[in-house]
Amino acid sequence: MLVSRQLDDQSYEEIVREARGRLPWLCPVWTDHNAHDPGITIMELMSWYKEMQQYHMDQVTQAIQRRLLALAGGRVRAAQAARCAIEAGSDCPAQRELARLTNRQGITFELTEPVPAVRGELARVLVESTEGRRDVTGMVADGQAFQPFSFGKGESSVLLMGFRTLPEGALRLWFTVDEPNRRNPPLDPQTPPPRILAWEKAGLGPVEPVSDETWRLSWSGYITFAAEGVWPRGEDGLYWLRLRLAEPGCEEQVRLRGISAVRYEAAQQETRAKSQYCRLEDQPGRQVLLESALDQWGDLAVFLRKDAGWEQIVPEKDEVTSQGRTLTVDGRGGAQDGADNLFVVCLDPMYLPNLLFDCKGLPGESLYLDLRGQQVLDQKLRLVCDTLDRDGEIRPALWRCVDDLSICGPRDRVFTYDPRRETVTFGDGLRGAVPAAGQGAVLVADLVLSQCGKGNIPANARLSFVQSGIPVDNTPASGGRDKESLNQVRGRLLRELDSTQKCLTAQDFEDRAMETPGLRVAAAKALPGYAGRERRAAAVTVVVLPAGGAARPQPDQRFLDAVRRQMERRRPICVQVRVTGPQYIPLSLAAQLWVSGTDRAAAEQALRDFFAVTKERIGETVRRDDVTACLQAVPGVLQVRRLEIHSMEGYRTAGGDIRLPPDAIPYWSELDLELVRA
């Protein structure tokens, strides 16, 4: 471990004493070392200055810590708003993006997408199999889990979804997937999916989703279908969407807990200032449509970019219609270089005094935002400031937020934000530019606030729209987190440095196999030096088990290929890695039990639990004494009088144990169980 060096290791008196002691050697003719001598006065001044330099050099400030952590790869994670989804029922009118919701605790959410007036209505959900049709609409409404592709005793069943109405555009459905085991996220879009699904619109034929956030129903998310052709009504006057399992794969069966066509996303945030760009032609009377909820009632500041720079203008006309807020702008004189030339800032009028500031034009000037404890999402904080341009004119310009001004130049239009003091600080003219002085010289262009970690509210937290007061149901909000402190970054970096992605030990091979992107791996066992039927020093065999409900799960080729690619990325040079599934070895058991009240089913269940497929069972010797102890532990078994274990593939020792190959898992296929009543 590196030991930090103490640079501030001398006091002022020690520095003066050491310097005075060297004077006879440096200048023998200097004999007067008393305090009245001007040379002594200069030496004492330099000693004081040296002590101050030592003190500052010994201080590791937060800015220095941040840079050192960045050099080591430890970046501070920004604050993040919690997200949830709301169910827009039939009584909920159309809502625009950024429409606000709140609860009794004053936690504010905003829609991140609009809620249209015409929405899809899921009327019935059926499961069709060889046994007939079963209506599972009630199960979907109550959130009960069911397996749509193996419902009841039927096999290869089909899921049918009937819609009473369809949305005007694309049909987007939310699927709540029950996840008994968490799946590793896919590494890239080329990662093969765990299963293949076949969709069909009844009357139109097969269709493919334009987007699938569930990764073939591996986790909860949205699946979106484009509005193509005329979808005819079918049975019961509904629009039917069919879903069947084309290729099941080797992993677990899909379990659904809910399907919704009226679920929309919301974020725990409060937008106080929002900006947007657009492009205008060099003509008068050009119209710009603003569609968000904040745009409908907020105060606007409009800027037109001309050849010399940005200039604030007044729209010719400003009116609110059913489509949104329409601005009529004279585009003559705007720059026509192919880039956006119109910049519109919408401000929340309730907080306007804290969004528009006067500026004195002083170096290092600070402005107080008064956010009352809420956190700023740094990536969404921008300012429009009056700025001295190169031609000597003062024009509005967009300024951005940075972490540190010391790395900025004198013309960089940047500022820093201190979340503890809730202040914005500009540069001093050497490190960061200084905005021009004037009334209303600084305008907040983008400002989004959030309670971050405190916004992770539970489901059905009594959210209601602020404007209409209509209540809505919500899913649990998650993902909200506060901005990381330097101590948290340091701890996370140490944990990352303590782990490795390369495989050095057998445990590393097993851990990397368990982390294979896109898979649910139930177990992995690394066998160093084993390569099938032979032994090799520079070879490792990794035996993997998929997470599935089968009694003897076996990986398919796609599963093995995915693990093999993962191992190729992580293996050391000159080490050959072989990935395979287990070979299952059948056993024949014959036993005689003296009992006093137990039945055959209890003994069989005990053996079934004993031979359960686990990582520890791979390559393990089946010991006769362990099986005897398993049967002896069954309630009502007095004595195991006889036990014999046979296998056609394993090696039977003199003691009756069965030795198996390193990649084998035993299971009992034949059982001769004799119960003798005592």
Side-chain angles (χ1 to χ4, degrees), residues 592-595 632 636-642:
Q592 184 185 65
L593 308 181
W594 280 27
V595 299
Q632 189 69 59
V637 175
L638 301 179
Q639 185 181 5
V640 179
R641 297 296 299 271
R642 177 175 56 85

Side-chain angles (χ1 to χ4, degrees), residues 62-118:
Q62 287 195 351
I64 295 176
Q65 292 183 44
R66 189 180 296 109
R67 294 179 199 169
L68 293 175
L69 288 171
L71 288 174
R75 300 285 182 179
V76 178
R77 290 178 179 173
Q80 183 173 293
R83 291 182 173 270
C84 71
I86 66 165
E87 292 285 340
S90 57
D91 58 339
C92 179
Q95 301 290 337
R96 298 184 181 274
E97 183 183 359
L98 298 185
R100 290 181 180 172
L101 306 97
T102 187
N103 61 2
R104 295 179 181 178
Q105 290 72 35
I107 300 178
T108 301
F109 279 76
E110 290 180 341
L111 290 177
T112 58
E113 57 183 341
V115 177
V118 180

Side-chain angles (χ1 to χ4, degrees), residues 85 182 258 275 312 348 383 405 477 516 529 539 553 556 583-584 668 672:
R182 185 171 180 82
S275 65
Q312 188 169 2
D348 190 334
L383 304 177
L405 291 172
T516 302
D556 59 9
Q583 55 172 319
Y584 290 95
W668 56 275
D672 182 9

Side-chain angles (χ1 to χ4, degrees), residues 182 352 472 491 502:
R182 185 171 180 82
L352 190 58
V472 292
K502 283 294 183 181

Side-chain angles (χ1 to χ4, degrees), residues 324-336:
R325 189 170 183 175
T326 304
L327 302 180
T328 304
V329 181
D330 187 357
R332 290 176 297 184
Q336 301 297 322

Side-chain angles (χ1 to χ4, degrees), residues 174-337:
W174 172 272
F175 289 86
T176 303
V177 179
D178 191 20
E179 301 180 63
N181 300 299
R182 185 171 180 82
R183 182 180 296 277
N184 299 323
L187 188 63
D188 51 55
Q190 284 71 36
T191 303
R195 61 188 63 89
I196 297 179
L197 305 177
W199 298 87
E200 179 186 355
K201 288 183 178 179
L204 284 181
V207 294
E208 286 294 330
V210 295
S211 67
D212 184 355
E213 300 177 4
T214 68
W215 211 57
R216 309 303 192 274
L217 298 181
S218 296
W219 48 69
S220 302
Y222 291 101
I223 298 180
T224 306
F225 300 89
E228 299 177 355
V230 179
W231 192 353
R233 293 181 181 270
E235 183 181 349
D236 298 333
L238 303 178
Y239 303 95
W240 289 98
L241 180 66
R242 296 172 57 90
L243 172 61
R244 64 181 179 86
L245 192 62
E247 291 187 20
C250 64
E251 299 178 56
E252 79 291 338
Q253 286 284 346
V254 175
R255 294 174 60 89
L256 297 180
R257 282 192 176 273
I259 307 172
S260 175
V262 291
R263 178 168 292 195
Y264 300 91
E265 293 185 341
Q268 196 284 300
Q269 63 184 31
E270 183 179 348
T271 303
R272 295 190 179 180
K274 169 182 169 291
S275 65
Q276 52 190 310
Y277 287 94
C278 58
R279 188 180 305 172
L280 292 183
E281 299 176 357
D282 191 10
Q283 297 176 4
R286 308 307 299 173
Q287 290 188 343
V288 178
L289 180 63
L290 308 177
E291 299 181 296
S292 73
L294 181 61
D295 293 329
Q296 309 309 303
W297 50 274
D299 292 338
L300 299 181
V302 184
F303 302 87
L304 181 66
R305 185 171 62 86
K306 300 185 177 181
D307 293 334
W310 291 98
E311 178 182 321
Q312 188 169 2
I313 62 173
V314 178
E316 296 177 345
K317 192 176 182 181
D318 182 359
E319 59 179 350
V320 178
T321 64
S322 58
Q323 285 75 27
R325 189 170 183 175
T326 304
L327 302 180
T328 304
V329 181
D330 187 357
R332 290 176 297 184
Q336 301 297 322
D337 53 4

